[in-house]
Amino acid sequence: MRPVGTVGEPDEWRGWRAAAQDALYRPGGFYRRSEGPAGHFRTSVHASPLFARAVAELLCRLDAALGRPAELAFVDMGAGRGELVTGVLAALPAGVAARARGYAVEVAGRPAGLDHRIEWLAEPPEGVTGLLFANEWLDNVPVEVAEVDAAGVPRRVLVRRDGTERLGEPVSGEQARWLARWWPLPAEEGLRAEIGLPRAAAWASAVAALERGLAVAVDYAHTADARPPFGTLTGFREGRETAPVPDGSCDITAHVALDACALPGGSVLRQADALRALGITGARPPLTLASTDPTAYVRALARAGEAAELTAADGLGDFGWLVQPVGVPEAGDLFAGVPEAGDQSAGRPAAGGLFVDVPHDEEQ
């Protein structure tokens, strides 16, 4: 599910939210192209089928926690061309697969040849029981960008379709309150932030589609103790990072303040820890296998390499997983081996903990 914008004039000055929405989601926009996201960048889904298998394992654990319902939903938010939902359904054991129903949520049209069991939707289905999974979806929910001016005042950044920027009006109202709460900017000229209000709203709406189950958002992320001083807005084209130009020629993305999106009960953990808890370890096969079964050894070695990429520090392993239970036990119960979360009131993990709980003393 990605919002659809309206086309702006080439020389029109607009906020980054409206400009990016047009560039990505208008008819003919970047995310409506036939090649799909995989033609321009590589996510965990494209890196290895092990990722889909890990998500299938999480769905199976959730199925048990839910009491094995008659119908078990898997909702793939921002489904691209249906790669993840296809892989998850294929990896399920027969007893679970017989009750599973796949939903792909995406603004682009249904790809030819997609499994007939997968329902293709523009909005998430309502009232389902199961797992809603949003892999690199929130980073493409457009947001406003703020920059501090020479007087120390955060102002909205305006942009034209050629990527030229200038500062607009001071940030005010709800956006200013969000900045003060989640991304306070010191009075130093040039500091920037992405105002994550639309992402928090999009996530709350997606989670509300679940009657019972678990919602997981996986993304480039940062938390309140380590916000990037100059923001993260960037572009991608044909596998390479590029300047963010809102003309439809490239992806426009920014890392996600996942802690600011979390609803009560939600926790954030690193992808490396989540995948290891779901059985993706990256351990090399024993050398003895090379002599007894060389073919199996080569296959196992390839899988180990793929697992290492998915869990690598300073790479995919550092992605954040926002885990949001809806009417099920603590999310940690579904991630065997992940330590308990830290102090919720402080928003910090316990020493050695993998979960980061976020404070919920204010409405989001």
Side-chain angles (χ1 to χ4, degrees):
M1 177 181 66
R2 306 183 193 272
V4 179
T6 57
V7 179
E9 295 297 324
D11 294 326
E12 180 183 357
W13 290 102
R14 296 186 294 169
W16 265 108
R17 183 184 179 191
Q21 187 164 304
D22 261 2
L24 298 178
Y25 306 119
R26 70 173 182 262
F30 181 82
Y31 273 107
R32 292 179 178 271
R33 293 182 177 185
S34 59
E35 72 269 22
H40 296 271
F41 51 86
R42 190 165 179 257
T43 72
S44 297
V45 176
H46 309 118
S48 170
L50 293 177
F51 189 79
R53 292 179 199 171
V55 177
E57 170 64 20
L58 178 59
L59 182 58
C60 289
R61 294 184 188 185
L62 178 62
D63 180 47
L66 292 168
R68 296 181 172 81
E71 182 172 295
L72 180 68
F74 178 71
V75 182
D76 184 4
M77 296 294 298
R81 296 302 177 264
E83 298 95 334
L84 179 60
V85 62
T86 298
V88 168
L89 292 181
L92 293 174
V96 180
R99 294 180 287 106
R101 184 168 182 181
Y103 298 91
V105 184
E106 182 57 78
V107 296
R110 182 186 181 96
L114 189 70
D115 190 323
H116 70 277
R117 296 176 299 167
I118 299 170
E119 189 169 349
W120 196 264
L121 303 170
E123 300 286 340
E126 295 185 2
V128 297
T129 294
L131 176 61
L132 181 143
F133 203 89
N135 186 65
E136 295 195 43
W137 172 61
L138 284 176
D139 67 293
N140 286 127
V141 174
V143 293
E144 297 290 4
V145 177
E147 182 175 321
V148 179
D149 67 10
V153 177
R155 293 181 175 271
R156 193 164 69 112
V157 177
L158 306 181
V159 65
R160 294 192 302 195
R161 288 190 69 194
D162 64 0
T164 305
E165 291 184 340
R166 70 173 174 84
L167 297 187
E169 72 280 5
V171 177
S172 62
E174 191 177 17
Q175 293 181 349
R177 289 190 291 273
W178 188 93
L179 277 181
R181 173 68 180 86
W182 291 108
W183 198 332
L185 287 170
E188 180 181 333
E189 185 178 7
L191 296 183
R192 288 168 69 119
E194 291 101 29
I195 303 174
L197 275 169
R199 292 170 172 177
W203 181 241
S205 177
V207 173
L210 286 176
E211 181 175 315
R212 282 198 311 145
L214 190 72
V216 179
V218 179
D219 240 310
Y220 302 96
H222 45 70
T223 51
D225 59 347
R227 302 289 190 221
F230 301 104
T232 61
L233 186 74
T234 191
F236 283 93
R237 183 189 297 115
E238 297 178 354
R240 297 181 181 272
E241 190 169 8
T242 185
V245 178
D247 60 359
S249 67
C250 65
D251 183 28
I252 296 172
T253 181
H255 294 200
V256 182
L258 281 179
D259 51 346
C261 295
L263 300 166
S267 299
V268 178
L269 64 156
R270 291 175 62 247
Q271 171 157 301
D273 300 323
L275 291 181
R276 286 171 185 144
L278 294 169
I280 307 300
T281 66
R284 293 171 63 92
L287 282 174
T288 54
L289 185 62
S291 57
T292 59
D293 192 341
T295 302
Y297 177 78
V298 171
R299 286 198 299 264
L301 195 62
R303 287 195 297 271
E306 293 172 3
E309 181 182 1
L310 290 172
T311 58
D314 298 322
L316 294 174
D318 284 343
F319 273 46
W321 282 40
L322 170 55
V323 178
Q324 194 77 54
V326 179
V328 293
E330 288 294 326
D333 295 343
L334 300 170
F335 291 87
V338 176
E340 291 297 321
D343 180 3
Q344 293 187 19
S345 63
R348 295 186 296 272
L354 304 181
F355 279 103
V356 178
D357 280 298
V358 297
H360 302 290
D361 51 329
E362 302 178 22
E363 278 192 28
Q364 301 196 32

